[in-house]
Amino acid sequence: MLNKYARAFFTRVLTPFAAFLIRRGVSPDTVTLIGTAGVVAGALVFYPRGEFFWGTIVITLFVFSDLVDGNMARQLGRSSRWGAFLDSTLDRVADGAIFGGFALWYAGNGDDNVLCAVSIFCLASGQVVSYTKARGEAIGLPVAVNGLVERAERLVISLVAAGFAGLHKFGVPGIQYLLPVALWIVAVGSLVTLVQRVVTVRRESAEAEEAARLDTGSEAAK
């Protein structure tokens, strides 16, 4: 849902900014690299210290680069396999830094081994969810399922909760519990999404093999 509607909205909003960068001679790959570096810095500098509000502000400013670089590439007519590969690869790096930052906080001053483990599970499951689709498509299957919690949902749920949880340091009572709730939601949602994709790949694989068997039988009959 977020990929379908929110991405389209922000793409329209960010188009003038993308055009401005193009006029300044900035390349889409540069935007991708700077955006990822900003997200990683925001996550690993602020989150392990429990500075969730300011960390989320920094990350949010840079996370939109994921939309800007693609917009620039389309305006330039330079969409390429390399650009898609770089963007997808660095997305995984950024996601790992965000959930790694949460894990470092709970392993340290946050002092909660369970939530540290949940954060690590969110990190790992997010990578595996992405891999299942990429691997399924690599072996020629459509992987025609999005799943309950994709990357956009994982980021929005986690970052919004972290940002609000950070308001606890400004005197807002009880709001710090939003982040643990969000991490559990992302963990469960990612597990459901992983199961959905594995089941879909298994079904599509069986259908493809059956279709190939029937085609082979038809050819042999001729």
Side-chain angles (χ1 to χ4, degrees), residues 25-37:
V26 180
S27 72
D29 287 352
T30 299
V31 173
T32 303
L33 290 168
I34 292 175
T36 302

Side-chain angles (χ1 to χ4, degrees), residues 1 4 10 14-15 22 41 47 54 73 78 95 97 102 104 114 130-131 135 138 176 182 188 191 198 205 219 222:
M1 183 177 66
K4 183 177 179 181
F10 283 110
L14 295 171
T15 293
I22 290 171
Y47 283 175
W54 293 115
R78 293 183 187 171
D95 292 359
F102 294 145
L104 287 172
V114 172
S130 298
Y131 175 79
R135 181 58 179 159
Q176 72 272 21
V188 173
L191 179 60
V198 169
S205 177
E219 289 295 326
K222 292 179 181 179

Side-chain angles (χ1 to χ4, degrees), residues 17-142:
F17 180 62
F20 169 79
L21 293 177
I22 290 171
R23 291 195 298 271
R24 295 295 179 181
V26 180
S27 72
D29 287 352
T30 299
V31 173
T32 303
L33 290 168
I34 292 175
T36 302
V39 170
V40 170
L44 296 183
V45 170
F46 290 95
Y47 283 175
R49 297 186 298 165
E51 297 289 346
F52 295 121
F53 178 79
W54 293 115
T56 300
I57 293 297
V58 171
I59 290 169
T60 301
L61 290 175
F62 284 100
V63 82
F64 283 108
S65 66
D66 190 45
L67 300 177
V68 174
D69 56 6
N71 193 309
M72 292 172 68
R74 285 189 294 272
Q75 290 189 46
L76 291 168
R78 293 183 187 171
S79 296
S80 65
R81 291 182 177 88
W82 162 249
F85 169 81
L86 180 66
D87 189 55
S88 180
T89 300
L90 293 183
D91 281 349
R92 306 288 84 77
V93 173
D95 292 359
I98 291 171
F99 289 104
F102 294 145
L104 287 172
W105 163 249
Y106 286 116
N109 291 334
D111 194 24
D112 193 318
N113 289 336
V114 172
L115 288 175
C116 177
V118 172
S119 300
I120 293 172
F121 179 82
C122 289
L123 190 164
S125 60
Q127 308 297 318
V128 177
V129 164
S130 298
Y131 175 79
T132 54
K133 187 173 182 66
R135 181 58 179 159
E137 291 174 344
I139 60 176
L141 300 175

Side-chain angles (χ1 to χ4, degrees), residues 137-188:
E137 291 174 344
I139 60 176
L141 300 175
V143 195
V145 61
N146 289 325
L148 180 64
V149 175
E150 293 191 295
R151 181 174 187 258
E153 286 80 11
R154 290 196 302 272
L155 286 180
V156 170
I157 293 170
S158 302
L159 293 178
V160 169
F164 278 112
L167 294 176
H168 177 68
K169 288 200 170 185
F170 295 90
V172 180
I175 202 165
Q176 72 272 21
Y177 299 110
L178 281 178
L179 181 56
V181 171
L183 289 174
W184 277 107
I185 290 173
V186 171
V188 173

